[in-house]
Amino acid sequence: MLHKPVLLREVLELLVLNKNGLYVDGTVGTGGHAIAILKTLGEEGRIIAMDRDPQALETARSVLSQYAQKIIFIRDRFSKIHENLTSMNIAEVDGILLDLGMSNPQIQSSGRGFSFLKDEPLDMRMDPDLKLTAKDVVNTYREKELARLLKDFGEEDKAQKIAKAIVHQRKIRKIETSKELAELVARAKNAKYSRIHPATKTFMALRIHINDELSELKIFLESAPRLLTHKGRLCIISYHSLEDRMVKTSFNSLKNHGFQVITKKPIRPSRDEIQENPSARSAKLRIIERS
Ligand SMILES: C[S@@+](CC[C@H](N)C(=O)[O-])C[C@H]1O[C@@H](n2cnc3c(N)ncnc32)[C@H](O)[C@@H]1O
């Protein structure tokens, strides 16, 4: 199953102001936003499609195949956007989109242990060339380090309890799979199952750590705005309060320095969209424009 693009109508309306422009989709995933953008573009319109996950990029290539002549695919991290554009002699683009987090196929069928509902090896690397896996982290980090990670990246209230349980469990036997970890966390939290699985925050924290997601965003925010042309827009959809705070702070600091904040408050998905696609529920879209 492909990923359902979030806030699609809003992105199209607010990002694509020049139909013959050049756009960067820094998180092309399975190409949901990209194909819709390509459909609205005119004869001269082009997209640079980036993703760090080779599997995602392969899917995007196939989904977007009918537009192949209008797309440049790049397998890289979006923190390297500046280097990549420079290497192609591109100084400015008309718009940039980041849709942070994970795609459905990564969670449901990548076999990399992103989901607490599956029994898969605990890997969690979006880019298979990264060295550190989630299995390394849960089996080698000190209890204090684990607790800090769960607290900082997962905002998990029971971080200490979970870290203790992980360290206790691994003395008996290495933690190998997503299912083992999910069950261990549920036991440690002694949580009644509600709509939200008790291991949700633990899995999110590990994924953010393994993929260095906050540093990726920080580096991107330092370089990407200056790559926009006059009236060019940067749209970022985030799903995590830490990410949204980083985007908000960075956009506010650019105000009156050659940029205008288009979204005073973040744009949220409508009730209908959330009903149709529950994964959209925490999405927040923020936009700036270069003056
Ligand atoms: C929510 S999905 C994007 C879905 C896409 N907008 C669509 O409609 O199909 C996020 C994607 O961003 C990629 N990603 C996450 N962090 C990245 C990074 N730092 N650099 C490049 N790609 C990244 C993931 O591999 C994933 O494919």
Side-chain angles (χ1 to χ4, degrees):
M1 191 182 54
L2 291 181
H3 183 88
K4 207 169 176 40
V6 170
L7 291 166
L8 181 59
R9 187 179 47 79
E10 293 81 353
V11 166
L12 287 178
E13 210 174 284
L14 297 165
L15 175 71
V16 187
L17 302 189
N18 171 8
K19 295 222 184 292
N20 286 308
L22 173 61
Y23 292 85
V24 178
D25 183 345
T27 52
V28 71
T30 57
H33 284 107
I35 197 158
I37 294 171
L38 283 157
K39 279 181 188 161
T40 72
L41 288 181
E43 194 62 23
E44 303 291 316
R46 298 278 183 276
I47 281 197
I48 295 168
M50 299 181 77
D51 206 290
R52 72 193 304 189
D53 181 342
Q55 261 181 30
L57 215 53
E58 203 180 301
T59 308
R61 272 184 205 281
S62 124
V63 169
L64 304 173
S65 59
Q66 65 187 112
Y67 295 100
Q69 73 291 355
K70 287 170 138 333
I71 315 170
I72 298 168
F73 289 99
I74 299 175
R75 181 192 157 191
D76 208 346
R77 294 174 277 148
F78 53 65
S79 59
K80 298 277 199 64
I81 185 171
H82 186 243
E83 289 89 324
N84 277 288
L85 293 189
T86 307
S87 74
M88 292 184 285
N89 284 323
I90 297 170
E92 289 179 338
V93 295
D94 295 272
I96 305 174
L97 170 66
L98 279 196
D99 177 21
L100 299 168
M102 310 284 301
S103 69
N104 265 347
Q106 279 172 324
I107 299 169
Q108 301 301 339
S109 55
S110 72
R112 284 178 257 167
F114 288 114
S115 168
F116 36 74
L117 299 174
K118 308 234 167 230
D119 195 11
E120 297 171 348
L122 257 187
D123 182 318
M124 294 202 194
R125 291 170 300 171
M126 291 185 198
D127 173 353
D129 292 340
L130 288 177
K131 294 268 177 309
L132 190 72
T133 68
K135 184 174 145 188
D136 299 330
V137 172
V138 297
N139 287 297
T140 63
Y141 278 27
R142 285 180 297 137
E143 186 176 321
K144 241 187 176 166
E145 286 177 300
L146 284 171
R148 168 159 294 279
L149 194 158
L150 299 182
K151 184 107 204 130
D152 287 355
F153 298 154
E155 296 176 319
E156 170 59 73
D157 295 336
K158 303 234 168 90
Q160 194 61 55
K161 251 189 177 168
I162 298 169
K164 194 170 177 178
I166 289 175
V167 170
H168 175 76
Q169 174 62 35
R170 77 190 189 198
K171 281 187 191 147
I172 304 166
R173 198 161 60 89
K174 250 190 180 176
I175 302 158
E176 302 270 355
T177 71
S178 46
K179 187 163 178 233
E180 282 168 37
L181 180 64
E183 289 178 354
L184 184 163
V185 173
R187 279 197 306 274
K189 287 179 79 171
N190 198 13
K192 303 243 176 326
Y193 279 77
S194 65
R195 212 165 45 85
I196 311 283
H197 191 286
T200 305
K201 291 179 172 178
T202 298
F203 273 64
M204 182 174 70
L206 283 168
R207 193 204 81 209
I208 289 176
H209 177 62
I210 297 298
N211 297 290
D212 212 5
E213 291 180 36
L214 300 184
S215 307
E216 274 296 301
L217 183 57
K218 180 171 182 286
I219 299 169
F220 173 87
L221 287 168
E222 283 161 4
S223 64
R226 307 269 160 213
L227 298 170
L228 293 170
T229 189
H230 173 61
K231 295 278 174 208
R233 287 186 171 188
L234 168 58
C235 295
I236 304 186
I237 305 173
S238 63
Y239 300 84
H240 188 297
S241 56
L242 291 175
E243 287 171 342
D244 181 57
R245 216 172 302 148
M246 283 170 71
V247 175
K248 181 180 169 187
T249 309
S250 162
F251 283 8
N252 281 341
S253 74
L254 291 167
K255 224 173 3 185
N256 307 324
H257 291 88
F259 293 87
Q260 193 194 338
V261 177
I262 302 296
T263 45
K264 302 282 177 273
K265 289 231 163 77
I267 299 174
R268 312 286 308 262
S270 65
R271 210 178 292 166
D272 283 353
E273 177 170 0
I274 296 174
Q275 201 157 20
E276 215 180 287
N277 178 17
S279 346
R281 67 182 177 277
S282 51
K284 288 184 181 168
L285 166 63
R286 293 188 187 268
I287 304 173
I288 48 165
E289 180 181 283
R290 191 161 195 182
S291 326

